[in-house]
């Protein structure tokens, strides 16, 4: 999901594109989503305006709330937080594979 402050112009959209995200000040979540996000931009021959990569999703959400940056965060993270952030679907979707190992 694309994440924006509620006052951001893209927060009023039903869907955002990676091209729209590429021009914004962007933070990447260091774990899991980073390679999928970068791959999605590269697949469309886009260069994102990445300001930094951060390990803590709550730090990213705080910066988004203040209107400093935008980001792509996993839906699983966004379901558990009560931040004042607009979560907008991305087209085409940025996905990741989550694996589970079970040892008997």
């Amino acid at each position: 999901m694309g994440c924006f402050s509620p006052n951001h112009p893209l927060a009023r959209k039903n869907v955002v594109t990676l091209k729209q995200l590429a021009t914004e000040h962007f933070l990447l979540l260091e774990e899991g989503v980073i390679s999928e996000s970068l791959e999605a931009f590269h697949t469309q021959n886009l260069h994102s305006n990445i300001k930094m990569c951060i390990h803590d999703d709550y730090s990213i959400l705080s910066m988004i709330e203040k209107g400093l940056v935008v980001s792509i965060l996993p839906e699983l993270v966004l379901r558990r937080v009560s931040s004042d952030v607009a979560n907008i679907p991305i087209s085409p979707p940025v996905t990741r594979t989550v694996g589970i190992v079970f040892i008997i």
Side-chain angles (χ1 to χ4, degrees), residues 17-29 33-53 70-72 94:
T17 64
L18 289 171
K19 186 174 183 178
Q20 291 169 307
L21 286 173
T23 62
E24 300 291 329
H25 290 249
F26 196 86
L27 284 186
L28 275 181
L29 180 61
V33 179
I34 188 168
S35 60
E36 290 85 356
S37 298
L38 290 175
E39 181 65 29
F41 282 109
H42 292 303
T43 299
Q44 294 194 15
N45 294 319
L46 297 170
H47 299 282
S48 56
N49 188 10
I50 298 170
K51 294 302 176 188
M52 69 176 63
C53 297
V70 302
S71 190
I72 296 173
V94 177

Side-chain angles (χ1 to χ4, degrees), residues 60-78:
I60 293 175
L61 286 166
S62 294
M63 294 178 79
I64 293 169
E65 280 183 316
K66 300 290 183 197
L68 302 173
V69 295
V70 302
S71 190
I72 296 173
L73 292 172
E75 286 183 66
L76 290 174
V77 168
L78 299 171

